[in-house]
């Protein structure tokens, strides 16, 4: 089992370009999440999907959109990238529905916006 | 709202030293508490968790006890190794609502031989 996979691993964009970060899981989990990690800021939730067919904003949703394509896949789109979106992006999953659920993280996408 | 406060790092120790990383939280009710670890270049992974007051979570020699009276979940290890060098995140998940966890800012641990 691959667990949680993310593509690409690294990406460099110019300001104004668009891109989609892909996340897939083979754990049969209901809930999926997108976080960004910045130095000194810890993890901040961008969007989440509690179950297939639903998405909700997290703490820092501006400048991003998401799609829960099916139970396995959850993508994050930057329509017009800005230097402030330079970060490491993590996708995570959990079984969903219980506060005791562990989150399982992908390896991350390191994005630089010039 | 819910919040998690961790001691700032980096924490620098020699191999075989005793480790404590402090974590305190603010939440309504009885949240679930977690420690996640992030090794260089990787995503976070669960280290241990505790789901009710006075529970002790343990894994790989690390321990943390859920202290409701002091709203704390401090991480300890009796003898650290160089391979423990990583960033450690404390997190809580609320007992109701969406159950989405709140993470602390992380504490970097550097262990020297």
């Amino acid at each position: 089992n691959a667990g949680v996979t993310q593509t690409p691993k690294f990406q460099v964009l110019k300001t104004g370009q668009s891109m989609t970060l892909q996340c897939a899981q083979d754990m049969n989990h209901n809930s999926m999440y997108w976080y960004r990690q910045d130095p000194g800021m810890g993890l901040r939730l961008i969007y989440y999907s509690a179950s297939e067919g639903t998405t909700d904003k997290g703490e820092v949703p501006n400048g991003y959109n998401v799609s829960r394509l099916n139970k396995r896949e959850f993508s994050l789109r930057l329509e017009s990238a800005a230097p402030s979106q330079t970060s490491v992006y993590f996708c995570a999953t959990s079984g969903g529905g219980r506060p005791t659920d562990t989150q399982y993280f992908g390896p991350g996408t390191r994005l630089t916006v010039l | 709202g819910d919040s998690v406060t961790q001691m700032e790092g980096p924490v620098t120790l020699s191999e075989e030293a005793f480790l404590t990383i402090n974590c305190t939280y603010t939440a309504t009710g009885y949240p679930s508490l977690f420690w996640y670890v992030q090794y260089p270049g990787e995503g976070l992974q669960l280290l241990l968790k505790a789901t009710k007051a006075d529970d002790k979570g343990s894994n790989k020699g690390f321990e943390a006890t859920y202290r409701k009276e002091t709203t704390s979940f401090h991480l300890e290890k009796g003898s650290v190794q160089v391979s423990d060098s990583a960033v450690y995140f404390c997190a809580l998940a609320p007992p109701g609502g969406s159950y989405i966890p709140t993470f602390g800012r992380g504490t970097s641990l550097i262990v020297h031989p």
Side-chain angles (χ1 to χ4, degrees):
Chain A
N1 289 343
V4 182
T5 58
Q6 292 184 236
T7 55
K9 286 185 170 31
F10 300 92
Q11 184 72 48
V12 179
L13 294 178
K14 294 180 179 179
T15 297
Q17 288 185 316
S18 62
M19 77 162 296
T20 299
L21 283 65
Q22 306 285 355
C23 175
Q25 51 108 353
D26 62 4
M27 307 179 78
N28 200 33
H29 283 169
N30 289 316
S31 300
M32 299 185 74
Y33 312 81
W34 276 106
Y35 293 92
R36 60 178 289 172
Q37 183 179 29
D38 303 291
M41 299 295 292
L43 286 176
R44 292 184 291 172
L45 183 66
I46 304 170
Y47 272 93
Y48 67 98
S49 171
S51 61
E52 186 179 354
T54 69
T55 60
D56 285 287
K57 295 178 180 179
E59 181 185 356
V60 289
N62 291 346
Y64 304 95
N65 286 299
V66 291
S67 295
R68 182 75 182 265
L69 303 170
N70 47 54
K71 189 171 186 179
R72 290 187 63 248
E73 298 171 288
F74 188 39
S75 63
L76 178 71
R77 182 159 178 85
L78 287 68
E79 290 291 352
S80 179
S84 61
Q85 294 177 305
T86 293
S87 188
V88 182
Y89 291 86
F90 289 100
C91 177
T93 73
S94 69
R98 297 179 304 177
T100 56
D101 286 342
T102 297
Q103 286 203 323
Y104 295 85
F105 287 79
T109 294
R110 285 147 184 83
L111 174 65
T112 301
V113 183
L114 302 175
Chain B
D2 297 343
S3 67
V4 175
T5 302
Q6 292 181 234
M7 60 190 292
E8 289 194 21
V11 173
T12 304
L13 295 173
S14 297
E15 205 165 26
E16 299 184 2
F18 185 85
L19 168 70
T20 300
I21 299 178
N22 290 337
C23 171
T24 57
Y25 67 90
T26 301
T28 302
Y30 290 83
S32 295
L33 300 174
F34 305 81
W35 277 102
Y36 286 85
V37 58
Q38 182 181 31
Y39 298 105
E42 298 183 7
L44 282 70
Q45 56 186 275
L46 180 71
L47 181 60
L48 54 85
K49 66 181 178 182
T51 60
K52 59 183 188 293
D54 299 324
D55 266 2
K56 177 184 285 188
S58 62
N59 186 26
K60 300 182 181 179
F62 291 89
E63 293 183 340
T65 301
Y66 189 138
R67 301 285 188 201
K68 180 64 175 174
E69 63 276 12
T70 54
T71 62
S72 64
F73 193 54
H74 304 322
L75 182 68
E76 297 182 336
K77 186 175 185 183
S79 177
V80 294
Q81 305 300 312
V82 171
S83 57
D84 294 327
S85 298
V87 180
Y88 293 81
F89 291 89
C90 186
L92 70 83
S98 62
Y99 310 127
I100 294 173
T102 297
F103 286 86
R105 295 193 172 190
T107 302
S108 175
L109 171 65
I110 301 169
V111 181
H112 294 294

